[in-house]
Amino acid sequence: MTWTAFQSKFQHIRDNKVFELFVISVIILSSLLIGVRTYNLPETAITFLWVMDYGVTVFFLIEILIRMAAEDRLKDFFKKGWNIFDFTIVVVSLIPLDDSEYALIARMLRLFRVMRLISFIPELRVLVSALITALPRMGYVALLMFIIFYLYAVIGNLMFADINPKLWGDLGISLLTLFRVATFEDWTDVMYETMAVYSLSWIYYLTFIFFSAFVFLNMMIGIVVEVLDEEHKKMLAEEEEVVHQQEQAYQDKLEGEIAALHEKLDRLLAERSEVRS
């Protein structure tokens, strides 16, 4: 059997929905095995988990090799970011679990196998892609938010340091206090304490909450929603492109078969004409 035939079989396995669901099930099983290890277990259960862990590792290795072999060219596999992501996780999973000083690191790295769910579930891929794409835009909003935090922290230190040094003693403590206010963690206690000395200090807190909790938070949400919509449109366009390519390939194959039939029919008619003559 030629390599092309093997490659066709690998492609059939890779594109099979049942195989994909089985891989997702193994990923979930792997995550559960890691979680079970956090409990105190008898020696027999630990041995069973050890065997299962190696079985999952071998399965992931076989699965990634099948996907690599299904590509027309090996370098095409590494052109997709998600393939590189899966390949890295599988390679990390090959780190042996022994009693060495690196065993803990190897176990912690194995936790990332659950991240492979992202690459297998399109909706999760869209969410992660949207988050990564939105990070640069969110960075500017975060920078503006930091400026507001910085200004309010300095003002808070100048005004309220004598009232409560534990909350406003320096710039760092003031920033932590403002983060507490922004997350609404007992922020009224902080406000009432300063209002006992400065009755109008509520203006300081309400304006800060308006900027941090309402303006900047909604700006962040707006950016994520916008990018998410763009990623959904991109995913739909890619799916339509794949369907178009499949339809075009089927049409080309059909036209080739029809042309072959016409050629065969013409040849038979020519042979029949020769026989009659």
Side-chain angles (χ1 to χ4, degrees), residues 226-238:
E226 180 183 357
V227 174
L228 188 60
D229 183 62
E230 294 174 358
E231 290 296 323
H232 271 295
K233 291 179 180 178
K234 188 185 300 183
M235 185 185 70
L236 292 176
E238 291 176 354

Side-chain angles (χ1 to χ4, degrees), residues 196-211:
V197 179
Y198 300 104
S199 60
L200 295 179
S201 62
W202 58 269
I203 300 176
Y204 170 87
Y205 296 98
L206 293 187
T207 54
F208 174 75
I209 289 175
F210 174 78
F211 284 117

Side-chain angles (χ1 to χ4, degrees), residues 30 38 70 83 86 91 93 106 156 169 192 203 229 248:
S30 172
T38 61
N83 288 342
D86 288 342
V91 171
S93 298
Y192 290 142
I203 300 176
D229 183 62
Q248 187 65 39

